[in-house]
Amino acid sequence: NRIEVEEMRAEWDYIYSIDRQVEGKGKAYKSWRGTINKFEKSYSYTFTEIKEEDIEEIKVFQSKWMKDNEGKEKMTEELIHENETVQYVLAHWNLLPCVIGRLLRVDGKIISYMIVERLDDNIISGHILKADKEYPEAAKFTKYQLLKNLSSDYSVANFWGDADLEGLRKNKMQENPIALYKKYEVLWKG
């Protein structure tokens, strides 16, 4: 009775097979494929690696994203802290060799970006994905394109928790994770 264990559902990691996400085969991936195809048919886009010269434009995009979501349910304390992390990562971009980033543009304008980290020779960990709400398919399309770009080098993607946001949780589950890594908080009641 001296130890209390509490499940931290908001922090569970979503583990995906990169090959399965890219191939998108079968009934389970019908919605995923539909989103990807809809975006590809609707827009003329570019998808590029984040370079040093993109950093200031990404900072502006990130600030606008934060402002657009101010006061909404998803603007949790966790997202406010994430924004601090984003600013740090962008400020030190060239000093972080394990960080991988991609930009999605339509008509030359950033509409989404994603930053992941190489954990080892097999696994990437998804840190940040932001998309303009005017392009509803942009976030999934960005994730798909990033995984497609990296599929020859990595086989597993670990995309972090859902911050207890029901919509985000639903989206992550619809993307068919191969595993959920549960997390717990253990408290000593000395």
Side-chain angles (χ1 to χ4, degrees):
N1 291 342
R2 299 180 85 187
I3 294 176
E4 185 177 305
V5 178
E6 185 177 314
E7 185 176 274
M8 298 172 60
R9 178 61 180 94
E11 301 299 323
W12 289 11
D13 289 349
Y14 293 76
I15 311 302
Y16 299 91
S17 160
I18 292 176
D19 286 342
R20 285 186 192 179
Q21 292 298 117
V22 171
E23 292 168 4
K25 291 181 180 175
K27 194 175 187 179
Y29 290 92
K30 184 178 180 184
S31 173
W32 174 257
R33 283 190 316 271
T35 299
I36 303 312
N37 292 335
K38 182 176 180 183
F39 187 91
E40 282 185 321
K41 290 176 184 176
S42 300
Y43 303 102
S44 177
Y45 65 89
T46 59
F47 191 77
T48 59
E49 186 176 335
I50 293 176
K51 304 273 191 211
E52 180 70 28
E53 58 266 20
D54 300 313
I55 299 300
E56 289 307 314
E57 191 178 359
I58 296 169
K59 287 179 180 179
V60 170
F61 179 87
Q62 175 70 18
S63 294
K64 182 182 181 315
W65 189 92
M66 291 294 289
K67 188 171 193 244
D68 289 349
N69 289 287
E70 206 169 37
K72 295 186 178 169
E73 176 202 6
K74 68 177 166 184
M75 189 50 68
T76 62
E77 190 173 319
E78 185 174 324
L79 274 177
I80 292 167
H81 291 302
E82 179 192 74
N83 183 55
E84 294 168 3
T85 301
V86 169
Q87 298 305 323
Y88 180 86
V89 167
L90 294 174
H92 298 89
W93 189 258
N94 287 332
L95 302 174
L96 302 169
C98 293
V99 174
I100 303 165
R102 298 292 188 269
L103 283 175
L104 178 61
R105 294 177 187 268
V106 169
D107 298 325
K109 174 184 133 188
I110 295 175
I111 66 160
S112 182
Y113 75 94
M114 186 168 187
I115 298 172
V116 298
E117 176 183 13
R118 179 179 59 82
L119 294 182
D120 64 24
D121 292 341
N122 191 42
I123 303 171
I124 59 169
S125 180
H127 289 286
I128 300 145
L129 172 59
K130 296 291 182 262
D132 185 328
K133 64 184 176 189
E134 292 180 33
Y135 300 86
E137 301 88 13
K140 284 188 180 183
F141 188 78
T142 300
K143 186 184 287 186
Y144 166 77
Q145 285 293 331
L146 180 131
L147 294 174
K148 184 176 166 184
N149 282 189
L150 301 177
S151 64
S152 63
D153 297 321
Y154 303 96
S155 61
V156 176
N158 174 355
F159 294 132
W160 292 2
D162 54 42
D164 249 348
L165 298 171
E166 195 55 41
L168 183 55
R169 182 171 294 162
K170 181 180 175 188
N171 278 335
K172 286 181 175 246
M173 292 304 293
Q174 286 176 342
E175 292 172 359
N176 303 299
I178 58 172
L180 294 171
Y181 285 163
K182 297 179 179 182
K183 296 183 181 178
Y184 299 88
E185 182 175 49
V186 179
L187 302 171
W188 177 256
K189 295 166 68 175

